[in-house]
Amino acid sequence: MRKPRLMTPGPAMVPEEVLLELARPVIHHRSEEAKQVLVEVAEGLKRVFQTKNDVLILTSSGTGAMEAAVVNVVPPGGKAIVLNAGHFAARWVAICKAHGIEAVSLDTEWGQAVDPAQVAEALKQHPDAVAVFGTLSETSTGTGHPVKEIGEIVAKTDAVFVVDGISGVGAMECRQDDWKIDVLLAGSQKALMVPPGLAFVSVGPKAWAKINAFDSPSFYFNLKAAGAKAKEFDTPYTPAHTLILALRAALRQINAEGIENVWKRHERMSDACTAGLRALGIEPFSARPAEGLTAFVVPAGVKDSQIRGKVLERFGVTLAGGQGKIKGKIVRLGHMGYADELDVVATLAALEAALSELGVAVEPGKGVAAAQRVLLAKN
Ligand SMILES: *Cc1c(COP(=O)(O)O)cnc(C)c1O
């Protein structure tokens, strides 16, 4: 038997109670029943995002929310600053380009965190920038960026701060309103414990002012339309309602645990994972690890595909490889959403076995012991 463990940074594992919702009969999306689901989900999302905003639900993957943010906030021909520190941040540049928006790319070495002082400097140099596009958790490098500090800086300017929280929201501390994030995005398949297919856009008052100032050249992803409907607990077009039922079940679980406890659980998993890897002589890739995943450098003498192949074949554990220019150099271990401390311990045990079998000098049990020490100390 191979028990599947999807330890990837999206899609991530989904609890049974959430999966069961997917088997329910389809209901009509304009029914009172469907509206009541949206009423409950709206409340739950606000708590997860730590916001008073209406959190808009789009039927798309996370990238749809990114495109919606770009095309609704920045007029064609406008300028934006992109905090470019990885594969997903680079997508902001590509989306801007596709829509005729000038993207000033503020490049940070992959694996490093964005320096808030550089953001302040870029805003001084480009006072005409309409938006700053950043990332909470850069999933390609496993890095958490100092969004709170950057939020303070952007708030002092006329620009709006748009944050891709697709793999961060629900995994690491993020308080949209307190941290002055004008637009915050998430995706269903990362820490929110739902299958792929839904994306979320939470828009604050400063961003609404920009959005309302021009007619966005978008139709399906028009946030004015989505915002107006959200006021009535509705959506402009047929939503993936079955996924919204699943979302309701997932949000009930998150609320039962409490969002602050959810963040703490991820912090414990992140610390334990890093300690376990270090004890095996494996280096984390990021200088400032995000809490929903741990990226590590592939040890000398083996290929990332061999490690991933071995843990999958032998133990049913799925890990992710590197993307873009660090493909083959790192392995990414996701521990977000429906993952607990024992999933991390089990994955470390699988890694120890796989590396030993591949001839890497590791002492089985050493990583697990180090992880356990962190978990016990933190309780
Ligand atoms: C997964 C992810 C995306 C892309 O989401 P899709 O659902 O694949 O479109 C964007 N940004 C970050 C940080 C992500 O982790």
Side-chain angles (χ1 to χ4, degrees):
M1 187 194 86
R2 274 192 324 177
K3 183 173 177 179
R5 278 198 171 82
L6 186 60
M7 301 298 285
T8 53
M13 294 183 288
V14 176
E16 290 82 348
E17 291 82 351
V18 177
L19 288 171
L20 285 171
E21 293 294 322
L22 304 174
R24 285 163 58 125
V26 171
I27 61 170
H28 197 274
H29 61 288
R30 306 285 186 217
S31 64
E32 187 53 33
E33 194 184 349
K35 189 185 282 276
Q36 286 317 312
V37 175
L38 282 180
V39 168
E40 186 179 339
V41 161
E43 237 350 271
L45 285 171
K46 279 181 202 215
R47 248 176 276 176
V48 170
F49 280 65
Q50 295 284 293
T51 186
K52 291 198 186 71
N53 302 332
D54 292 331
V55 181
L56 312 177
I57 302 175
L58 306 176
T59 295
S60 79
S61 82
T63 306
M66 294 176 79
E67 180 152 20
V70 168
V71 77
N72 283 273
V73 171
V74 189
K79 189 195 264 189
I81 295 169
V82 174
L83 312 182
N84 193 348
H87 180 74
F88 288 106
R91 191 166 292 178
W92 283 127
V93 177
I95 296 170
C96 285
K97 211 169 165 192
H99 290 285
I101 290 160
E102 185 191 343
V104 176
S105 182
L106 188 66
D107 296 340
T108 297
E109 196 187 323
W110 287 27
Q112 299 294 315
V114 171
D115 176 4
Q118 287 184 359
V119 182
E121 191 49 43
L123 280 161
K124 253 183 229 144
Q125 276 175 26
H126 302 280
D128 53 340
V130 177
V132 173
F133 291 109
T135 318
L136 173 62
S137 156
E138 172 55 64
T139 321
S140 65
T141 67
T143 301
H145 293 299
V147 162
K148 185 181 178 202
E149 288 74 10
I150 300 167
E152 290 292 338
I153 290 162
V154 182
K156 293 194 188 108
T157 71
D158 186 46
V160 296
F161 188 28
V162 181
V163 174
D164 168 358
I166 295 173
S167 72
V169 170
M172 47 201 287
E173 184 181 8
C174 184
R175 304 173 188 272
Q176 180 175 16
D177 294 357
D178 288 354
W179 292 8
K180 305 182 170 113
I181 301 169
D182 299 301
V183 181
L184 181 60
L185 317 178
S188 58
Q189 82 275 27
K190 309 268 167 114
L192 297 181
M193 310 195 296
V194 175
L198 296 177
F200 310 97
V201 188
S202 173
V203 184
K206 188 177 172 188
W208 275 124
K210 300 266 187 223
I211 292 169
N212 289 326
F214 75 106
D215 286 323
S216 168
S218 62
F219 187 85
Y220 184 69
F221 287 126
N222 193 294
L223 294 182
K224 275 192 218 110
K229 286 290 185 181
K231 293 257 169 278
E232 304 156 19
F233 301 101
D234 203 348
T235 53
Y237 320 108
T238 314
H241 191 74
T242 309
L243 288 174
I244 297 177
L245 283 177
L247 174 67
R248 177 174 67 172
L251 289 170
R252 281 178 182 170
Q253 291 200 5
I254 291 171
N255 280 331
E257 186 175 356
I259 188 67
E260 308 229 344
N261 292 329
V262 169
W263 295 335
K264 281 186 201 140
R265 171 166 50 85
H266 284 86
E267 196 186 319
R268 283 198 301 278
M269 291 193 288
S270 168
D271 290 350
C273 193
T274 298
L277 291 168
R278 282 226 164 98
L280 295 173
I282 297 171
E283 272 311 298
F285 179 70
S286 176
R288 192 180 188 275
E291 274 131 40
L293 76 152
T294 303
F296 62 87
V297 180
V298 175
V302 280
K303 287 203 170 106
D304 82 298
S305 54
Q306 290 177 301
I307 299 173
R308 289 186 293 117
K310 209 56 154 176
V311 293
L312 179 60
E313 171 204 335
R314 184 90 157 65
F315 301 107
V317 174
T318 306
L319 299 175
Q323 293 164 296
K325 64 183 179 193
I326 51 174
K327 195 170 165 50
K329 297 206 168 78
I330 64 165
V331 171
R332 294 174 303 142
L333 194 172
H335 35 72
M336 58 176 71
Y338 189 51
D340 70 2
E341 285 106 325
L342 288 185
D343 287 318
V344 171
V345 170
T347 304
L348 285 168
L351 267 175
E352 289 173 345
L355 290 169
S356 305
E357 281 184 24
L358 290 168
V360 179
V362 295
E363 191 185 320
K366 218 173 164 186
V368 166
Q372 286 279 53
R373 276 195 294 277
V374 170
L375 294 174
L376 294 172
K378 285 221 160 192
N379 263 325

